[in-house]
Amino acid sequence: MKTLLCAINSKFIHSSPAVYSLQASCRYFAGIYGAEPGEVEVAEFSVNDSADSIVYGIVSELPDVIGFSVYIWNVKIIGMLIADIRKMLPDSIIVLGGPEVSYGVDGKIFSEKNYDYIVSGEGEYSLYCLLAEIFASKNSSVFSASPEFCYRKSDDGVTVYADNCSLDGLPFIYNEDNLPKFENRIIYYETSRGCPFNCAYCLSGAESKVRFLNIERVFKEIDFFNKNKVPQVKFVDRTFNCNPKRAKQIVKYISALEDCETNFHFEVGADLFDDEFIDILSEVPCGRVQIEAGIQSMQHDVLEACCRKTDVDKCFSNLKKIISMGNINVHTDLIAGLPFETAGMFVDSFNKTYALRSHQLQLGFLKLLKGAPLNGMLEEHSYMFSSNPPYEIISNKYISHKEILRLKEVEDALDRFYNSGHYVLTLELIEKHFGTPFELYRKLADRLIELKMIFKPVSLRQGFDIMYSFAESFIRDGEELKILKKIMLTDYFSSNKSDMPPDSLRDIWKPERSLSGRSGDIMKLCGIDDFRAHRLRIIDDEIYIFDVSKENPVTGRYSYKKVN
C-alpha cells in the first residue's frame, strides 16, 4: 500500500514540517508497535503551481491513499483538486487533516463524496493508526491500536482522533537523506506545542498547556543544523520565550556554536525578556539570531478585548535595547481590524511602533480562523469577513472597508520602501518633511496609485526613480535635492552590486571606467587586495568603495567607505 502525503505551500521557499513529521512518525511507530502502515511518501507543491501540474504530480504516483495537509492558504485549491482526483483515482482513499478541517469542514469547499477521512488535531499517531488499519483491511488482517494512546473515530467513522503525544515521543523529521530537498528553502523546527496565552484571533491558545521537547535533544538537533550549514531555521514555537529559563539555555547554546552559518528565527513575547536575557542576546554573534515580536496594537483596551496579556511599556523598552545592540534582526507586527480599534487608533499604534526602528514592521490584517475564540465575538463587534480563504476582515463596527483598503495601500508602500531595507539613509532625510511616519507612507502610497504601480512589482532601479520623483514633489531647495541624490545613490549601491544607477540619479554618477584603469591602485592605497570583493563607485565626483563580498547579516546591506 502506497500513501502520498501532499503539502501545498504558500511559496516555493516555504516547506511543510507537518507532512514530514507525519511520514517520520508512521515509520517510527511501525518500528515500535509493529503494525505496518505501508509505504509513506511526501510530495510538496506551491499554490503558484498550476492545478494540472499538481494533479499530475499526485495521480502519476498511483497512490492507494492520498493525504492533504489543509491550511488557510491552500484550502480552496485542495477542494478543487480532490474533486478531479476522485474522478481519476476513484479507488484511492483521500484523507484530509490540518487546522482548516480539524474544527469542521466547509461543505462549500469539500463535498463529502470527495474525501474519506478527516484527521482531527495532531495527526502523528492518529494517521499512523488509520493507515495501519487500512493496510490491515487490505491484507485481510486485524489492526489493534496501542493502549498507550486513545485512538478513536466519530460515530460516522469519518473523523479520527488520538491523544496528543509527548514531543519526545516523536522522531526528528530531518536527516542527511532528506535535507537536500530543503535547499534554498526555509526549514521549520518545533521545540514546543501549545501557548500559555489565549489571544482571541489565534489558534495556538486552544491548547494552553505547553509541551516542550527535551532540551538535550534540542541541543543535538541544533548541532545537526549547524553541521549541515542550514542557512535559516525558523522555530515554530508560538512564544519561544514563554519559559524564559529554557529559552535562555537555547540562545546561549546557539551563541556558543563554532563556525556557525545558520540564522535562527524566534517568535517572542518581548515583554517576557529580563535584563539577563537581554545580556545573553547582546553576546550572540551578529546575525545569528532573528526575533519577531508581536505588538499587534498599542491600545490597552484593544489588547484586553483580544485577551492578549502584554506589558506594552516593557515590550517597547526591551525592544529598544535589543535593536540598539545591532547584532539581532528584529521584526515587529501589528494587526489591523482588532476589536475596538478605529483607523485613527491603528495609525497611533503604527506611529509608535515605527519609532522603534525595527528592521521590519509587518502590517497584518485580521483573519477569522476556525476554532479561534474570535468566532464568538462576531456579532458583538459587527464583524464582516471575506467568505473566501484566507477569511480576511472586510469591516467591523470601528473600521470601514474603505479604511481597511487604505491601510493595505500603506502596507504596500511600507513593504517597498521600509521593510526592503534599501532606503535607510533616504528615509532619514525624507521623514523630516512629514508630521508622522504614517503620513509619509500614506503619501508614498498615493504616489504609487498615481503611477498605477500600487500592488505591482517594480525593479530596484524603478523603486529608486519612484522615490526620487516623490521627494522632488515637495523638496524645493536645490541643495537639499543634491544631498538627497547622493544619499539615495549611496543607498542604491549599498543594496546591490550593479554599477548602473537609476535614471533619476545618473547626473551625479560616473562609471568606474572613467578612472582610466586606476581602480586597482586606489584600492591598494586603501589597503584592499581582493578587487573582486569590492566595487568602486563615483558619486558626485567622490569615490566610495563598497565591500560586496558579504551583506551585513542583520541589515542585508553592503558596507562602504569614502576615499579621501
Side-chain angles (χ1 to χ4, degrees), residues 130-244:
L130 176 63
L131 295 181
E133 188 175 35
I134 295 170
F135 184 87
S137 67
K138 285 179 176 289
N139 290 276
S140 302
S141 59
V142 178
F143 165 76
S144 296
S146 166
E148 185 178 345
F149 301 101
C150 181
Y151 170 69
R152 57 201 183 279
K153 290 184 177 179
S154 57
D155 292 339
D156 61 6
V158 172
T159 305
V160 299
Y161 316 83
D163 292 344
N164 293 339
C165 306
S166 74
L167 293 194
D168 290 320
L170 298 176
F172 183 46
I173 65 176
Y174 301 106
N175 54 60
E176 304 284 355
D177 293 331
N178 69 17
L179 206 55
K181 295 182 180 181
F182 302 95
E183 187 175 0
N184 300 319
R185 302 169 72 200
I186 298 170
I187 279 186
Y188 297 94
Y189 177 54
E190 181 180 47
T191 76
S192 69
R193 284 186 186 175
C195 182
F197 307 109
N198 302 101
C199 302
Y201 47 79
C202 185
L203 275 179
S204 299
E207 185 189 349
S208 57
K209 182 181 179 181
V210 185
R211 290 170 288 148
F212 295 102
L213 192 63
N214 178 276
I215 198 160
E216 293 300 325
R217 178 173 158 182
V218 173
F219 294 159
K220 181 180 178 181
E221 291 168 357
I222 287 173
D223 286 340
F224 172 84
F225 296 132
N226 182 40
K227 174 189 172 185
N228 287 282
K229 307 296 182 187
V230 172
Q232 185 177 54
V233 174
K234 281 198 171 186
F235 280 56
V236 295
D237 306 25
R238 300 316 301 159
T239 307
F240 167 70
N241 59 331
C242 65
N243 182 330

Side-chain angles (χ1 to χ4, degrees), residues 14-306:
H14 295 167
S15 61
S16 175
V19 290
Y20 287 98
S21 182
L22 295 170
Q23 179 193 41
S25 295
C26 283
R27 294 170 177 170
Y28 177 73
F29 288 133
I32 293 177
Y33 302 114
E36 177 59 52
E39 178 189 355
V40 181
E41 299 297 334
V42 164
E44 285 192 275
F45 308 93
S46 159
V47 294
N48 298 313
D49 295 331
S50 69
D52 286 345
S53 67
I54 297 174
V55 169
Y56 175 79
I58 295 169
V59 172
S60 63
E61 293 292 324
L62 299 176
D64 300 291
V65 180
I66 307 166
F68 287 95
S69 191
V70 189
Y71 292 89
I72 201 167
W73 60 81
N74 64 22
V75 56
K76 202 164 186 177
I77 189 171
I78 290 175
M80 294 165 53
L81 292 173
I82 63 173
D84 286 342
I85 292 171
R86 178 62 97 194
K87 295 172 185 175
M88 297 175 187
L89 298 175
D91 296 327
S92 293
I93 294 170
I94 294 177
V95 182
L96 305 178
E100 278 302 297
V101 295
S102 287
Y103 297 91
V105 178
D106 188 337
K108 295 178 182 177
I109 297 177
F110 296 108
S111 169
E112 290 184 1
K113 65 181 181 180
N114 290 334
Y115 64 88
D116 300 285
Y117 294 102
I118 300 291
V119 175
S120 179
E122 296 181 18
E124 283 90 355
Y125 185 72
S126 51
L127 180 69
Y128 161 69
C129 288
L130 176 63
L131 295 181
E133 188 175 35
I134 295 170
F135 184 87
S137 67
K138 285 179 176 289
N139 290 276
S140 302
S141 59
V142 178
F143 165 76
S144 296
S146 166
E148 185 178 345
F149 301 101
C150 181
Y151 170 69
R152 57 201 183 279
K153 290 184 177 179
S154 57
D155 292 339
D156 61 6
V158 172
T159 305
V160 299
Y161 316 83
D163 292 344
N164 293 339
C165 306
S166 74
L167 293 194
D168 290 320
L170 298 176
F172 183 46
I173 65 176
Y174 301 106
N175 54 60
E176 304 284 355
D177 293 331
N178 69 17
L179 206 55
K181 295 182 180 181
F182 302 95
E183 187 175 0
N184 300 319
R185 302 169 72 200
I186 298 170
I187 279 186
Y188 297 94
Y189 177 54
E190 181 180 47
T191 76
S192 69
R193 284 186 186 175
C195 182
F197 307 109
N198 302 101
C199 302
Y201 47 79
C202 185
L203 275 179
S204 299
E207 185 189 349
S208 57
K209 182 181 179 181
V210 185
R211 290 170 288 148
F212 295 102
L213 192 63
N214 178 276
I215 198 160
E216 293 300 325
R217 178 173 158 182
V218 173
F219 294 159
K220 181 180 178 181
E221 291 168 357
I222 287 173
D223 286 340
F224 172 84
F225 296 132
N226 182 40
K227 174 189 172 185
N228 287 282
K229 307 296 182 187
V230 172
Q232 185 177 54
V233 174
K234 281 198 171 186
F235 280 56
V236 295
D237 306 25
R238 300 316 301 159
T239 307
F240 167 70
N241 59 331
C242 65
N243 182 330
K245 180 181 178 182
R246 181 176 183 273
K248 289 174 187 176
Q249 290 176 286
I250 293 173
V251 173
K252 278 184 177 180
Y253 191 84
I254 288 171
S255 183
L257 293 172
E258 295 182 0
D259 192 28
C260 180
E261 299 176 11
T262 303
N263 168 266
F264 296 88
H265 176 104
F266 305 106
E267 292 189 25
V268 301
D271 56 330
L272 302 179
F273 289 131
D274 56 19
D275 289 341
E276 181 190 10
F277 209 141
I278 292 175
D279 287 341
I280 292 169
L281 288 171
S282 72
E283 298 297 323
V284 173
C286 186
R288 189 171 296 182
V289 164
Q290 177 175 300
I291 64 172
E292 183 174 345
I295 307 296
Q296 319 312 10
S297 174
M298 286 295 295
Q299 318 303 322
H300 292 281
D301 291 347
V302 172
L303 294 174
E304 186 175 343
C306 296

Side-chain angles (χ1 to χ4, degrees), residues 357 417-418 421-429 487 491 557:
R357 310 299 299 200
F417 298 112
Y418 182 80
H422 298 321
Y423 304 85
V424 175
L425 304 176
T426 303
L427 288 170
E428 287 179 7
L429 189 151
I487 286 173
D491 264 338
R557 290 164 63 89

